[in-house]
Amino acid sequence: MKFELIQLHLQFKQSLETIRFKHFNYIHGGITTGKSSIAQLVDYCLGGNIKLTPALQSELVHASLHLEIESHPLHLQRTQDSDDILAEWIEEGRAYTVKLPSRTALDTEVIPNTGIKVLSDLLYHLAGIPAPRVKNKANKESGMARLSFRDLWEYCYLIQKHIDSDFFSLAMDEKIDANRRHKARSALKFILKQHAEQAELLGAMLDKTNKLIKEKRLTVESTKTVLSTLGIKSTADLKKQLGTLDGKIKKASEAIAKNKTRIYPTTDHEVDLLKEQARSIQKELDHLQENIRDLQLLLQQDERQKNELLTLQNKFKRDTSARGVLGALQYTHCPKCTQALPHREEPLCQVCGQPDLPQHPSDKNHQAAEADLKDRLLELDAMITGQRQEITDLQKDLKLARREKQFLDSRINQALEKYDSAYLSQALELERELARLERQRFDLDRLSTLPALIETRKNEIDLLKLDASRMREDIQELKAQMEADAQNLKRFMELFLDCLVRCKLPNVAETDQIEFDAKTLYPRISSAGNPDVVSTFTSIASGGKMTLFKCCFALALHRVAARIDSPLPEILVIDTPSKNMSPDEDHEQYEAFHDLLYQLAAGELRSTQFIFIDNDFRAPKDDSFAEEDIMTRYLSNTDPQHPPLIPYYRGQ
């Protein structure tokens, strides 16, 4: 896959920094200058996760990556803490701008008929590569799982943190997620064009297709058997039988109508007239019941008001009597303190000493109110008596109406019995025949879709046969390619050993042998002098050697990918391989590794872009690189001419 970075724009709060890439890019400098952050931000724009440094957390606004995939310009922009990426590209003369999720696919396509639901889909789309599928270990029932661009990118970006600790998730390590390990192995097989798993998957799909063909054939045969028992061989036969049944149904319906007219020639049947009268009586019943309810409600209200007035009348009487009794008394002692009252002359009150009135001022008002109460009570008595009489009269009318309704219901039942008896005795056979014909018509109509269904199933079988035939051809091609697969794997082992020898990894000789576990593709080195001595990534037990081991594996993979035209992106990012290796103490390996890189970049991997990040700069020993092919950038916290990635930032 032709994959080239053009430039990286980093928008900080106080500056815009641009890194322009060439064929070989050497970024070096001291710690905390932002060397590794460049690679991490490239990865971030390609959908990776990133743990931002304090400087980036404080200052980064967004990162924009310009690249080309198979000559298609692509611009990716991602803001800090965003899961979405803004993608802009030109395809067939048309410009596109869409927002895509970085890792988790959407439910629908962002552009119809492209299959693009996530950033990985877009990268495959521009590369002209169908999204690869591998066996799904997480869900075996689904059969296949998509291989993401990120799975291939694992072999293109050697992260500083894991460069000496994780071997591409290939090792049988409990710390590595099983699904992640399976995806890593599947990606490696895909890069090396190992077709055994694809052949196995196609074989399973072929078995499933053959089973489906067999099921559809059985459906066709059983449906044909059902139709043949009914004398139906085609859609025309079915239409003919339906037409015949429609004619018979019409004749039976006409015979029933004639029979009914002969028995009941009048326009209005007795039952219909009686039902109309019954409906009228029912309306009258409803009206009477409603009137009775209304009158009973009024009666309750008037009786309640009468009781309240009677209570008020009794209060007036008690008040008048009390004043009469108290007014006639002769007081010698105070009714409150019981002390003897002083002598008072007439007409003064013996208790309070005020002039004694012959009549209380409220007596006249009490008398007038009592007279009004009597009049109102008389009116209410008259109203209550009238309402009770009216309710009684309505209840009598209701009783009569109910009797009349019962009489009409009885008449209707008698008329229906007479009608049914006369009608059924002469029309029962006709009704039975009509019901039989209609049922036959209904059942036959339900079968009307079966001839078309047979044709549909036949067409589906033909398409499945074509699919099965293509699968067989593909399986044969894959089997033929499996011989080349072995050659690819053998070539990979040879190139891996060549890289190890050329970078002068200790205790590795040209006569040693590289072996790959057929299932895991995890490499082992067997010593030629002592075959029982086997070295692996984890057993060499040296951080520097593990780093060289992993880098050589990636270089060999890119070498073989270039030779077999593999879909591996033509870019290799190596971040700080010398973190466990000293240019002074490990001078031989340090020099040899750099020479190997420069030789491959100028030769076999001329089309592969390199981004090399390290603490110190080691220039090529010859002029194999033209000036326009190599970019070097030195980052320093103390040299103003070579500022760090964020020039103005010096921490808190």
Side-chain angles (χ1 to χ4, degrees):
M1 182 193 301
K2 187 61 181 175
F3 192 97
E4 182 180 3
L5 305 185
I6 307 301
Q7 55 189 9
L8 177 66
H9 295 297
L10 301 176
Q11 180 63 63
F12 298 114
K13 291 180 180 179
Q14 298 182 31
S15 69
L16 173 63
E17 300 301 315
T18 300
I19 297 97
R20 292 179 174 84
F21 298 102
K22 295 184 179 180
H23 168 54
F24 197 98
N25 306 274
Y26 204 128
I27 302 168
H28 60 102
I31 61 173
T32 69
T33 57
K35 306 186 306 296
S36 296
S37 295
I38 294 175
Q40 291 171 3
L41 289 167
V42 168
D43 181 61
Y44 186 61
C45 289
L46 292 172
N49 297 323
I50 187 171
K51 189 173 182 180
L52 297 175
T53 63
L56 291 177
Q57 291 178 40
S58 172
E59 303 302 316
L60 179 65
V61 179
H62 63 75
S64 300
L65 180 65
H66 295 262
L67 65 156
E68 284 188 3
I69 300 179
E70 298 293 345
S71 301
H72 293 289
L74 175 62
H75 172 223
L76 302 173
Q77 179 176 302
R78 189 174 180 184
T79 58
Q80 186 180 160
D81 297 328
S82 174
D83 290 330
D84 294 326
I85 295 174
L86 184 65
E88 298 177 358
W89 74 95
I90 297 175
E91 185 179 2
E92 297 180 354
R94 181 179 175 184
Y96 294 90
T97 300
V98 297
K99 183 177 284 188
L100 288 166
S102 57
R103 305 292 281 266
T104 304
L106 299 170
D107 294 331
T108 57
E109 298 175 348
V110 294
I111 300 176
N113 304 318
T114 60
I116 300 174
K117 299 180 180 180
V118 69
L119 177 62
S120 175
D121 295 335
L122 174 60
L123 300 178
Y124 279 133
H125 174 77
L126 295 179
I129 300 173
R133 293 181 175 274
V134 297
K135 188 182 295 184
N136 191 345
K137 290 288 186 182
N139 186 358
K140 294 183 179 180
E141 293 184 1
S142 64
M144 306 285 281
R146 291 164 64 92
L147 201 63
S148 169
F149 173 84
R150 301 291 310 174
D151 298 314
L152 303 183
W153 183 249
E154 287 282 336
Y155 296 97
C156 298
Y157 177 29
L158 277 57
I159 304 171
Q160 176 188 3
K161 181 180 179 181
H162 303 302
I163 197 168
D164 58 351
S165 59
D166 172 60
F167 194 74
F168 303 105
S169 302
L170 293 174
M172 291 297 293
D173 190 338
E174 294 181 356
K175 297 179 181 179
I176 301 174
D177 177 70
N179 186 54
R180 178 73 206 95
R181 181 166 50 244
H182 170 68
K183 294 290 285 292
R185 293 170 182 170
S186 298
L188 185 56
K189 291 176 182 178
F190 178 68
I191 294 167
L192 292 173
K193 294 188 174 182
Q194 300 296 294
H195 299 94
E197 187 173 290
Q198 290 178 267
E200 182 183 348
L201 288 172
L202 276 176
M205 291 173 64
L206 179 60
D207 292 340
K208 189 176 181 179
T209 302
N210 287 333
K211 183 179 179 181
L212 197 57
I213 291 172
K214 185 177 180 181
E215 291 174 354
K216 290 183 181 294
R217 279 177 175 168
L218 288 174
T219 301
V220 169
E221 294 302 321
S222 60
T223 305
K224 282 183 176 180
T225 302
V226 171
L227 293 176
S228 63
T229 57
L230 299 172
I232 300 172
K233 296 182 180 179
S234 65
T235 304
D237 291 341
L238 182 63
K239 289 181 178 179
K240 184 178 179 181
Q241 290 195 26
L242 287 172
T244 302
L245 280 174
D246 288 337
K248 291 180 179 180
I249 290 171
K250 183 178 179 181
K251 288 180 180 180
S253 300
E254 291 174 351
I256 291 172
K258 287 179 181 180
N259 184 56
K260 183 177 180 181
T261 303
R262 183 177 60 81
I263 297 175
Y264 299 105
T266 56
T267 303
D268 294 328
H269 190 268
E270 180 185 5
V271 173
D272 297 330
L273 296 175
L274 290 172
K275 286 182 177 180
E276 184 62 32
Q277 293 176 17
R279 283 193 288 271
S280 178
I281 292 296
Q282 184 61 49
K283 289 181 181 179
E284 184 180 350
L285 282 170
D286 295 339
H287 183 66
L288 288 170
Q289 289 173 341
E290 185 177 356
N291 288 342
I292 289 172
R293 285 194 297 270
D294 292 342
L295 283 171
Q296 287 175 339
L297 182 60
L298 288 173
L299 179 61
Q300 291 173 0
Q301 293 175 350
D302 289 344
E303 288 179 338
R304 190 182 305 112
Q305 187 177 7
K306 178 184 175 181
N307 291 333
E308 291 174 353
L309 291 176
L310 288 172
T311 302
L312 184 58
Q313 187 183 45
N314 290 333
K315 289 181 179 179
F316 282 151
K317 288 180 179 181
R318 287 197 298 270
D319 186 38
T320 303
S321 299
R323 280 201 305 274
V325 172
L326 294 174
L329 293 176
Q330 295 295 323
Y331 291 93
T332 60
H333 291 76
C334 178
K336 181 178 181 182
C337 64
T338 69
Q339 297 184 63
L341 295 172
H343 175 73
R344 302 183 192 277
E345 297 292 338
E346 294 272 346
L348 298 177
C349 177
Q350 295 175 356
V351 178
C352 67
Q354 299 181 74
D356 195 3
L357 297 176
Q359 186 178 9
H360 195 274
S362 62
D363 288 347
K364 293 180 179 181
N365 294 336
H366 284 201
Q367 291 172 3
E370 188 173 0
D372 289 341
L373 281 174
K374 288 180 180 180
D375 293 340
R376 181 56 182 160
L377 287 170
L378 290 173
E379 289 177 6
L380 287 173
D381 286 337
M383 290 172 63
I384 290 170
T385 301
Q387 290 168 352
R388 286 175 176 168
Q389 184 60 45
E390 193 172 352
I391 290 172
T392 301
D393 294 341
L394 288 174
Q395 287 176 338
K396 289 179 181 179
D397 294 340
L398 181 63
K399 188 174 182 180
L400 290 174
R402 284 175 174 168
R403 287 180 181 176
E404 187 173 356
K405 179 68 166 52
Q406 290 175 355
F407 173 73
L408 285 173
D409 290 342
S410 177
R411 291 276 306 278
I412 289 170
N413 290 333
Q414 292 174 3
L416 285 173
E417 289 177 1
K418 177 182 176 183
Y419 173 84
D420 291 342
S421 176
Y423 182 74
L424 290 176
S425 62
Q426 299 187 25
L428 184 59
E429 188 61 34
L430 289 173
E431 293 283 359
R432 286 177 178 172
E433 178 63 15
L434 177 62
R436 185 185 67 80
L437 291 172
E438 287 179 339
R439 182 64 193 181
Q440 188 176 349
R441 174 69 169 77
F442 175 76
D443 292 339
L444 202 60
D445 191 51
R446 290 176 61 188
L447 299 176
S448 61
T449 58
L450 293 183
L453 179 64
I454 290 174
E455 294 302 319
T456 301
R457 292 292 179 267
K458 286 182 177 179
N459 293 333
E460 291 174 352
I461 289 172
D462 291 339
L463 292 174
L464 288 171
K465 284 181 177 178
L466 289 174
D467 290 342
S469 177
R470 283 193 291 266
M471 288 180 194
R472 291 189 189 94
E473 292 175 0
D474 291 342
I475 290 172
Q476 291 301 320
E477 290 179 6
L478 289 172
K479 287 182 178 179
Q481 291 174 356
M482 286 170 68
E483 294 182 7
D485 295 349
Q487 292 298 319
N488 292 343
L489 191 58
K490 181 181 179 183
R491 188 178 304 167
F492 180 37
M493 290 188 289
E494 292 171 351
L495 293 174
F496 183 28
L497 181 61
D498 177 67
C499 289
L500 293 171
V501 171
R502 288 169 66 177
C503 74
K504 299 184 179 180
L505 187 71
N507 303 320
V508 176
E510 293 182 7
T511 54
D512 291 345
Q513 287 189 344
I514 301 289
E515 298 176 357
F516 279 94
D517 185 291
K519 184 177 180 181
T520 65
L521 293 181
Y522 190 66
R524 297 176 297 180
I525 305 174
S526 297
S527 174
N530 188 353
D532 294 332
V533 177
V534 177
S535 300
T536 64
F537 176 76
T538 53
S539 68
I540 54 180
S542 165
K545 292 171 68 177
M546 293 169 80
T547 299
L548 289 176
F549 193 91
K550 185 172 182 177
C551 290
C552 288
F553 186 91
L555 286 168
L557 184 61
H558 279 265
R559 290 174 71 183
V560 73
R563 297 186 183 188
I564 64 176
D565 192 23
S566 170
L568 180 67
E570 294 180 336
I571 182 172
L572 182 58
V573 182
I574 303 176
D575 188 0
T576 320
S578 65
K579 73 173 187 177
N580 294 309
M581 183 168 50
S582 169
D584 298 323
E585 297 298 328
D586 305 297
H587 180 74
E588 186 177 12
Q589 286 77 27
Y590 182 84
E591 291 290 322
F593 179 64
H594 280 77
D595 289 341
L596 174 63
L597 276 178
Y598 285 129
Q599 291 166 10
L600 292 177
E604 286 184 56
L605 300 181
R606 185 69 184 81
S607 61
T608 299
Q609 188 176 36
F610 285 83
I611 299 177
F612 191 78
I613 301 169
D614 215 341
N615 297 320
D616 301 298
F617 176 64
R618 158 62 160 80
K621 291 182 178 179
D622 52 33
D623 57 355
S624 55
F625 279 103
E627 184 177 348
E628 63 269 13
D629 289 338
I630 187 168
M631 182 275 286
T632 62
R633 178 160 180 171
Y634 173 51
L635 303 178
S636 172
N637 288 320
T638 57
D639 186 351
Q641 299 299 319
H642 302 90
L645 183 62
I646 308 176
Y648 60 87
Y649 185 83
R650 292 297 181 271
Q652 299 299 327

